[in-house]
Amino acid sequence: MTYQTKIDTFGETIKQNGAPWDAIDAEAATRMQIQNRFPTGLDIAKYTAKIMRQDMDAYDADPASYTQSLGCWHGFIAQQKMISIKKHFGSTKQRYLYLSGWMVAALRSEFGPLPDQSMHEKTSVPALIEELYTFLKQADARELGGLFRDLDAARESGDAVEAKRIENAIENHETHVVPIIADIDAGFGNAEATYLLAKKMIEAGACALQIENQVSDEKQCGHQDGKVTVPHEDFLQKIRAIRYAFLEMGVEDGIIVARTDSLGAGLTKQIAFSKEPGDLGDQYNAFLDCEEVDPANVNNGQVFISRDGKLMAPKRLPSNLFQFRAGTGEDRCVLDCITALQNGADLLWIETEKPHVEQIAGMVDRVREVVPNAKLVYNNSPSFNWTLNFRQQVFDAWEETGKDVSAFDRDRLMSEDYDATELAIEADEKIRTFQADAAKRAGIFHHLITLPTYHTAALSTDNLAKRYFGEEGMLGYVKNVQREEIRQGIACVKHQNMAGSDIGDDHKEAFAGEAALKAGGKDNTMSQFEAA
C-alpha cells in the first residue's frame, strides 16, 4: 500500500465516523501508524523469525552468507548499533542483536553486579528484550520523522519530484528492528520454568532462544571452571518446552539454539536413566569415570552401575557430583549436538576454550555425518585472548613447517615488541578473516561477540575520565568526543533529537495545531549543529 493510499484509507475512516473525528488529520494518523510498524512484541518475533529462517537458507546455499551480532546490555546501545550499521552499510541485512545473560547478570540485576550463574531475576531478561525493541522502534520513528519533515519542506517549495522521491523512501523504509538471539541460560529451573520464561521472552519479541545443557542451579559462565552438565533427556525436555512456547505464542518458525558446554564441563550431577545397552542414557553414563568393584569389597555409600557385565563405581566427589573421564569432552559435545538437532533444536552453540577454526570444524564434521545441514552460532568471546591465541597459532604453524621462530618467545607473544613483525601481521590477518573462514570451514552460520559493549563502555569511560579530570579539562571532552561526533556524523551529537524531542513536536502539532508549544524552535541549541 502506498503512502497516499494509506492516507486516503484513514481519510475515509474519519469521514465515516463523522463529527467526533473531524479534528483528526488523516496524514498525521498515517504517519504515526507508519512510525509504529510493530505494535506488539509478538509482531516483532513473527517478523524476525522469518528473517532468520531466510538467512539460514541463504547460508545453506552459500556459507559466505553468514550473519553477525554484537551483545547489547541497554536499549540505547542496541539503537546506536543499528543506526550505525544503516549509516555505514545502507542495510541491516544479516546483522542481528545478541542478548547476553552474562551482561544481564553483571549490569541489569537489582542485586547489583553478579557473576554469570543465573542468580539474577529471570524477569530481567524479557524486560531487556522489550527495552531493546522499544529503542529500535524509536529509531524507526526518529528516522521516519525526518523523512516526513523533508516531505513537508519539498511540498512547501513546490518540488514535486523531490516529494515523490521522499514518499518512495517512506514506503520502502528499512526498519531498525532485527532478530535478537536471547540467552535463557539453563532455563532458570525445570522444564516448566523454562516454558514459562520462554513465553515471556517471545512475547517481548525474541524469535531465537539460546539454552545450554548445564544444571540450572549450578550454572556457570561457559568460560569458567566448575560447569556441570545434565543427562540428554533432561536437556531435551527443555528444548521441547521452548518449542511448545513458540507454538503456543503463534511463532511457528521460532529458532532454538542448543548450546553444549561439555567441552569444558567435566562433571555431572546425575547418572542417566537407561533401559537398555546403547540407549541415550547408557551413552551418557559410558563417559563416567568409573572403577571396577569387587562385590566382596564394597564401601559404605558407594553408588554402582553395571557396564559390560561388570560392577562399576563412578567416581563421586565430596560435592556429590560425578566426574567424566578425561579427554571425553569432544565426544560428548558431538553427541550433545546430534541429539539436540534430532529433537527439535535448529542451531548449535559449542562453547570452546579458544578460537581455533580446525578445532571447531573437527566437531562439526562429525555432527554433519549424521545431520548434514548442522549449523552453529559461535561466541567470538572477549574471554579469549585473541592476540595471543592467533600469534601462537601462527608460531606453531611456522615451527611445524620448519620456519625459523628463534626470534620469538611463544609465551610472550602478546608483547608490543612483536606488533610490527611478520608473525603478528599474519596473525592479525587470520583474526580479520576468522569469521569468514569459520563460516566456510566450520559451519558457523552466526558469529557474535557476547560482551563487546561492556568493554567499549569501560574503555571509552576510562579515556574520558583520564582526559577530563586531568590537564585537558573540557578539551578532553570536546576534542575526543563532541568534535569526533560532529566529524564522524554521529547522530547523538543532537542528543535532544535522539531522545525524541522532534517526534514529540510532531505529536504536539497533531494534537494542538497552532497552539502547540514545540521544543524545536530557533532558540533550541541543537541548531548549533545544523552545519555539522
Side-chain angles (χ1 to χ4, degrees):
M1 189 182 295
T2 67
Y3 178 66
Q4 188 58 50
T5 301
K6 290 180 180 179
I7 296 172
D8 293 341
T9 300
F10 260 121
E12 186 60 32
T13 302
I14 292 168
K15 182 179 178 181
Q16 289 174 2
N17 279 278
W21 282 33
D22 284 349
I24 300 298
D25 179 77
E27 186 158 13
T30 299
R31 290 180 176 186
M32 290 180 189
Q33 188 181 72
I34 291 172
Q35 284 175 304
N36 188 22
R37 178 178 170 184
F38 303 101
T40 72
L42 280 177
D43 294 321
I44 292 172
K46 292 174 183 177
Y47 168 77
T48 53
K50 287 181 171 56
I51 290 175
M52 274 197 75
R53 292 289 177 181
Q54 291 167 0
D55 287 347
M56 288 161 68
D57 290 342
Y59 174 81
D60 286 340
D62 179 7
S65 296
Y66 61 90
T67 56
Q68 299 168 290
S69 66
L70 296 174
C72 298
W73 52 273
H74 191 280
F76 176 74
I77 300 294
Q79 179 197 68
Q80 294 307 299
K81 173 190 146 183
M82 299 317 301
I83 288 173
S84 295
I85 286 171
K86 286 192 73 174
K87 179 181 78 171
H88 291 296
F89 305 104
S91 173
T92 62
K93 184 175 174 57
Q94 297 176 330
R95 298 171 176 103
Y96 305 166
L97 296 179
Y98 178 66
L99 186 155
S100 161
W102 191 101
M103 285 205 284
V104 174
L107 299 169
R108 302 303 299 257
S109 172
E110 292 184 11
F111 295 109
L114 294 172
D116 184 19
Q117 296 173 353
S118 289
M119 294 189 291
H120 55 281
E121 309 85 349
K122 65 175 70 177
T123 53
S124 59
V125 183
L128 179 53
I129 295 169
E130 184 176 6
E131 177 186 296
L132 294 172
Y133 279 128
T134 296
F135 274 79
L136 294 187
K137 292 197 295 181
Q138 196 261 10
D140 281 356
R142 172 188 166 274
E143 189 170 70
L144 285 162
L147 289 172
F148 296 149
R149 285 185 285 281
D150 291 343
L151 177 59
D152 291 340
R155 287 172 174 173
E156 288 172 12
S157 68
D159 191 340
V161 174
E162 177 64 4
K164 188 62 180 175
R165 184 196 68 78
I166 296 169
E167 283 188 27
N168 287 334
I170 293 168
E171 291 164 8
N172 295 292
H173 176 262
E174 183 182 48
T175 180
H176 295 81
V177 170
V178 296
I180 286 179
I181 298 176
D183 186 358
I184 198 171
D185 280 10
F188 287 87
N190 60 16
E192 175 70 7
T194 302
Y195 155 79
L196 293 172
L197 180 56
K199 287 204 301 179
K200 286 290 186 184
M201 294 171 72
I202 297 162
E203 189 175 35
C207 73
L209 301 183
Q210 165 221 327
I211 186 164
E212 60 206 52
N213 69 334
Q214 291 191 46
V215 176
S216 185
D217 59 355
E218 303 283 356
K219 185 260 186 311
Q220 291 276 17
C221 171
H223 292 282
Q224 291 184 309
D225 205 355
K227 293 182 290 296
V228 185
T229 63
V230 297
H232 294 92
E233 181 52 36
D234 291 40
F235 188 53
L236 299 180
Q237 289 174 21
K238 294 185 176 183
I239 290 177
R240 288 192 286 270
I242 293 173
R243 180 61 65 204
Y244 276 112
F246 272 124
L247 294 173
E248 180 180 338
M249 304 303 285
V251 187
E252 289 84 358
D253 48 2
I255 291 94
I256 300 173
V257 182
R259 170 176 142 180
T260 172
D261 283 286
S262 291
L263 199 62
L267 303 170
T268 184
K269 202 168 190 176
Q270 300 163 257
I271 295 174
F273 174 74
S274 173
K275 288 184 177 180
E276 57 187 40
D279 65 13
L280 198 52
D282 188 49
Q283 292 180 66
Y284 187 80
N285 293 338
F287 294 117
L288 293 171
D289 192 0
C290 299
E291 294 179 341
E292 188 174 355
V293 177
D294 181 353
N297 187 22
V298 173
N299 295 323
N300 185 57
Q302 276 189 295
V303 174
F304 305 102
I305 62 173
S306 63
R307 180 184 293 169
D308 300 325
K310 299 176 182 178
L311 187 65
M312 310 291 290
K315 290 187 178 178
R316 195 178 192 182
L317 306 178
S319 60
N320 204 32
L321 299 172
F322 300 97
Q323 70 182 37
F324 293 110
R325 286 181 286 112
T328 62
E330 183 169 314
D331 290 338
R332 285 184 280 124
C333 271
V334 171
L335 182 59
D336 294 343
C337 291
I338 292 170
T339 304
L341 291 174
Q342 290 176 331
N343 287 271
D346 302 289
L347 296 169
L348 302 171
W349 175 316
I350 300 175
E351 194 77 303
T352 66
E353 81 288 357
K354 60 182 180 293
H356 194 291
V357 172
E358 287 304 316
Q359 179 199 27
I360 305 162
M363 289 183 279
V364 173
D365 286 346
R366 293 175 61 188
V367 175
R368 285 183 163 179
E369 289 176 6
V370 182
V371 186
N373 68 337
K375 293 180 284 294
L376 264 64
V377 171
Y378 187 72
N379 178 8
N380 293 222
S381 177
S383 293
F384 302 143
N385 185 332
W386 287 77
T387 302
L388 182 61
N389 265 291
F390 276 83
R391 287 182 181 182
Q392 288 181 339
Q393 287 180 38
V394 173
F395 179 97
D396 293 343
W398 282 12
E399 189 174 49
E400 187 176 340
T401 59
K403 192 166 183 176
D404 182 15
V405 293
S406 60
F408 303 97
D409 181 343
R410 190 179 186 279
D411 294 330
R412 291 188 58 256
L413 288 175
M414 182 68 200
S415 172
E416 289 184 37
D417 297 342
Y418 297 123
D419 284 358
T421 65
E422 181 187 356
L423 183 147
I425 293 169
E426 183 175 328
D428 281 353
E429 178 63 11
K430 287 184 177 295
I431 294 172
R432 186 186 74 80
T433 64
F434 173 79
Q435 293 186 336
D437 294 342
K440 182 178 180 180
R441 171 70 185 93
I444 297 178
F445 157 73
H446 186 78
H447 283 277
L448 60 89
I449 308 178
T450 43
L451 322 174
T453 53
Y454 179 88
H455 292 278
T456 55
L459 179 62
S460 61
T461 302
D462 179 84
N463 288 332
L464 175 60
K466 176 178 62 178
R467 291 165 176 146
Y468 175 73
F469 293 104
E471 293 183 0
E472 291 184 43
M474 191 59 197
L475 182 62
Y477 171 78
V478 172
K479 179 181 178 182
N480 297 288
V481 180
Q482 188 181 80
R483 194 175 294 168
E484 290 304 309
E485 284 183 302
I486 294 170
R487 291 176 175 173
Q488 293 183 41
I490 305 300
C492 266
V493 73
K494 299 181 183 179
H495 50 260
Q496 307 285 16
N497 167 270
M498 187 57 64
S501 64
D502 288 334
I503 297 172
D505 278 357
D506 294 341
H507 292 169
K508 290 175 184 177
E509 191 168 18
F511 303 154
E514 293 182 358
L517 185 63
K518 296 195 289 186
K522 61 181 178 63
D523 292 329
N524 189 312
T525 55
M526 280 198 307
S527 61
Q528 296 176 34
F529 299 102
E530 292 301 327

